[in-house]
Amino acid sequence: SQTIHQWPATLVQPVGSPLSLECTVEGTSNPNLYWYRQAAGRGLQLLFYSVGIGQISSEVPQNLSASRPQDRQFILSSKKLLLSDSSFYLCAWRRSGNSPLHFGNGTRLTVT
Amino acid sequence: GQNIDQPTEMTATEGAIVQINCTYQTSGFNGLFWYQQHAGEAPTFLSYNVLDGLEEKGRFSSFLSRSKGYSYLLLKELQMKDSASYLCAVRDRSGAGSYQLTFGKGTKLSVIP
């Protein structure tokens, strides 16, 4: 069976510090990978998606970036965090076609 | 899904039936998904509709009318553990030409004894 791992579960970072959130998927090959953000009381916002190694599409321009160095690894980064980056970040994967998204457990990021 | 509407909150009684509606406006429609999200947790997949009609899965059913841009999630025999947010999500063709999933803001369901 397929599993998705996302870490850390919680993170407190000062303004201006860098960020690296990691996500890996097991039990499948060539998954479509996604990073979403969910602010309190708001819907899920798609940040980045990737259909293959090194292929990253950005949906919302901001101070975040994503990379896919390996087939089943997806990384969300920032060089300098802003207070407004505080949110719940979710990694997700799915197969191609009409298959549903499957989410990791999420990372709650607080920027202080 | 560029415009997805669902009620913000609903309250229902344990053992009852509740229907959560979702309307959407989109082009290039390619399916509608329902997710359940408990507070502080990640969403989990509940159901998928791409053709008109009702899909039943245990206590949960989901209905779709593509011509009306309308779906509902029906929860029967409500249990306290069903208290959660229910997210409607529409898959359609994004500006880049690929299919993407856009989520509504969710309906927070409270089940009371």
Side-chain angles (χ1 to χ4, degrees), chain A residues 34 36 38 41-44 46 49 57 59 88 90 94 96-106 108, chain B residues 30 33 35 37 39-45 48 50 87 91 94 96 98-106:
Chain A
Y34 302 80
Y36 280 86
Q38 187 179 38
R42 300 183 65 179
L44 283 161
L46 178 62
Y49 68 93
S57 296
E59 290 292 308
F88 189 43
L90 290 153
R94 69 176 190 89
S96 59
N98 292 334
S99 58
L101 275 176
H102 299 282
F103 289 88
N105 288 334
R108 189 160 303 282
Chain B
N30 193 243
F33 298 78
Y35 283 80
Q37 185 177 24
E41 298 181 9
T44 55
F45 169 68
Y48 168 65
V50 67
L87 312 180
R91 189 158 176 260
S94 72
S98 61
Y99 283 102
Q100 297 304 336
L101 202 59
T102 302
F103 285 82
K105 293 183 178 180

Side-chain angles (χ1 to χ4, degrees), chain A residues 48-84:
Chain A
F48 301 94
Y49 68 93
S50 171
V51 298
I53 296 175
Q55 299 179 58
I56 308 294
S57 296
S58 174
E59 290 292 308
V60 183
Q62 51 206 318
N63 69 319
L64 298 171
S65 62
S67 61
R68 185 170 177 173
Q70 300 180 46
D71 181 44
R72 288 168 288 177
Q73 184 185 29
F74 206 24
I75 299 171
L76 182 69
S77 304
S78 174
K79 292 182 179 178
K80 286 186 178 182
L81 284 168
L82 307 172
L83 283 174
S84 58

Side-chain angles (χ1 to χ4, degrees), chain B residues 65-81:
Chain B
S65 169
R66 289 172 296 170
S67 61
K68 296 181 180 178
Y70 168 68
S71 173
Y72 67 72
L73 180 69
L74 194 71
L75 289 75
K76 302 177 184 176
E77 301 169 16
L78 279 173
Q79 302 175 10
M80 298 301 290
K81 68 178 182 179

Side-chain angles (χ1 to χ4, degrees), chain A residues 2-68:
Chain A
Q2 299 83 23
T3 56
I4 178 169
H5 303 279
Q6 182 183 343
W7 68 93
T10 60
L11 190 59
V12 180
Q13 292 281 106
V15 169
S17 64
L19 173 73
S20 180
L21 302 181
E22 190 162 342
C23 172
T24 59
V25 180
E26 296 178 358
T28 187
S29 59
N30 199 29
N32 291 346
L33 296 172
Y34 302 80
W35 279 110
Y36 280 86
R37 178 168 67 186
Q38 187 179 38
R42 300 183 65 179
L44 283 161
Q45 179 188 33
L46 178 62
L47 300 175
F48 301 94
Y49 68 93
S50 171
V51 298
I53 296 175
Q55 299 179 58
I56 308 294
S57 296
S58 174
E59 290 292 308
V60 183
Q62 51 206 318
N63 69 319
L64 298 171
S65 62
S67 61
R68 185 170 177 173

